Amino acid sequence: MSELSLAYIFHQQQLLVDHNFQLPRVEKLASDLSFHSDDQVIARDLLDNEPIPDGLELIPIRQLLPLWSTKQFEQASRAIQLLEWRRNHKFCSHCGHATEAHASEYAMICPACGYHQYPRVQPCVITVITRGEDEILLAKNARNTRSNMYGLIAGFVEVGETLEEAVRRETLEEVGIQVKNIQYLASQPWPFPSNLMIAFKAEYASGELCLQEEEISDAQFFKFDQLPEIPFKGSIAHAMIMHATEGTTVADDTREWL
């Protein structure tokens, strides 16, 4: 009998785990994505009509973030992004021919024209903005109608701009203020669907709050000791808010979010 592999088995944004939120071990299939040359960690999609094995259940990956270590979540993030990339690149974007998986690297190759399609990461900036000694800007996403959670200003980096320019643009667009003293903090892979969150801190410079209503339903400067509901522990947003209000590090040398 072949040695079993630790398996990240996904159905959309849900992951198959046992009742202790641990991954199953399964026999490797030819269609699985391998993380290492020894095939000890694999990723696969759970088919729509495929039954869930006894003792396992599908859990939204967001719910696992506060329960798992950073290493576990980042490996799950890598798995779900690679699976989505493979699903989305079954055909060549140049000539339309069916692609084949490269034997030793993450690439989908067109046997007709030879074009290689590699995984792509979408960079996003996320910024914690402070004013004075004891105020932090927090905003509520207009699409968040299920909770009263406030988070940070974030958005995609546009073609041709620096990360710092993206911070200034997103802040001005979403809440109408100017920032200064932009400094890099940390980063976090974010598989919703395939993003890299790049964290910055900045200080309020000028302007009055003016909301981009299709994106932000409310934004305020809150006192450090009077925070509203904020993102859950394990997310980079939570670590950034704690860094600004309590002086904790965003991530330590072992990459565990604090």
Side-chain angles (χ1 to χ4, degrees):
M1 181 178 177
S2 61
E3 188 172 358
L4 299 180
S5 299
L6 196 66
Y8 290 90
I9 303 176
F10 288 94
H11 185 262
Q12 298 177 358
Q13 289 284 340
Q14 298 183 93
L15 180 62
L16 204 60
V17 295
D18 65 20
H19 298 307
N20 294 316
F21 306 109
Q22 299 303 304
L23 299 173
R25 289 188 176 273
V26 300
E27 289 191 34
K28 184 179 183 299
L29 304 177
S31 58
D32 290 338
L33 274 170
S34 296
F35 277 56
H36 306 288
S37 58
D38 59 7
D39 293 340
Q40 293 304 297
V41 183
I42 61 95
R44 74 170 63 146
D45 284 314
L46 186 72
L47 303 179
D48 289 337
N49 59 352
E50 190 174 354
I52 297 175
D54 292 340
L56 300 178
E57 59 183 323
L58 287 168
I59 298 292
I61 189 173
R62 287 179 184 270
Q63 293 184 20
L64 296 171
L65 181 54
L67 303 175
W68 278 6
S69 69
T70 298
K71 181 179 180 180
Q72 284 178 301
F73 180 76
E74 288 185 352
Q75 192 154 257
S77 172
R78 180 177 175 84
I80 196 170
Q81 291 179 69
L82 286 171
L83 288 170
E84 181 174 359
W85 157 74
R86 187 174 66 172
R87 286 194 302 269
N88 292 339
H89 292 83
K90 293 180 179 180
F91 297 92
C92 178
S93 61
H94 280 194
C95 71
H97 196 282
T99 56
E100 300 173 353
H102 192 283
S104 60
E105 62 183 39
Y106 295 126
M108 299 299 287
I109 304 171
C110 177
C113 71
Y115 182 62
H116 286 46
Q117 298 178 116
Y118 294 95
R120 295 288 185 265
V121 175
Q122 303 174 86
C124 300
V125 293
I126 180 169
T127 311
V128 57
I129 300 168
T130 56
R131 185 172 68 178
E133 298 295 324
D134 64 348
E135 289 186 315
I136 182 174
L137 177 68
L138 298 175
K140 185 177 180 182
N141 192 303
R143 291 181 290 275
N144 177 17
T145 59
R146 296 184 178 181
S147 74
N148 200 36
M149 184 180 73
Y150 283 71
L152 301 176
I153 302 300
F156 290 102
V157 179
E158 293 187 352
V159 173
E161 70 180 355
T162 67
L163 299 177
E164 293 82 2
E165 287 170 344
V167 168
R168 296 186 188 97
R169 175 184 53 75
E170 284 291 340
T171 304
L172 186 61
E173 287 178 355
E174 293 194 355
V175 292
I177 64 173
Q178 301 280 352
V179 294
K180 62 183 181 180
N181 297 333
I182 300 170
Q183 298 179 49
Y184 171 79
L185 287 177
S187 62
Q188 183 183 36
W190 196 244
F192 305 107
S194 186
N195 305 333
L196 177 65
M197 304 302 296
I198 306 166
F200 290 89
K201 63 179 179 179
E203 298 174 7
Y204 167 83
S206 63
E208 298 293 329
L209 292 175
C210 180
L211 308 186
Q212 186 180 26
E213 294 183 356
E214 63 269 26
E215 296 289 337
I216 304 295
S217 61
D218 186 39
Q220 302 177 42
F221 280 98
F222 291 89
K223 294 292 186 181
F224 287 177
D225 60 355
Q226 298 176 9
L227 298 182
E229 179 184 351
I230 62 173
F232 49 80
K233 184 177 180 181
S235 65
I236 196 170
H238 180 277
M240 293 167 68
I241 293 170
M242 292 299 99
H243 170 74
T245 60
E246 299 184 6
T248 59
T249 57
V250 177
D252 65 20
D253 291 338
T254 62
R255 294 180 59 75
E256 292 293 336
W257 298 100
L258 301 180

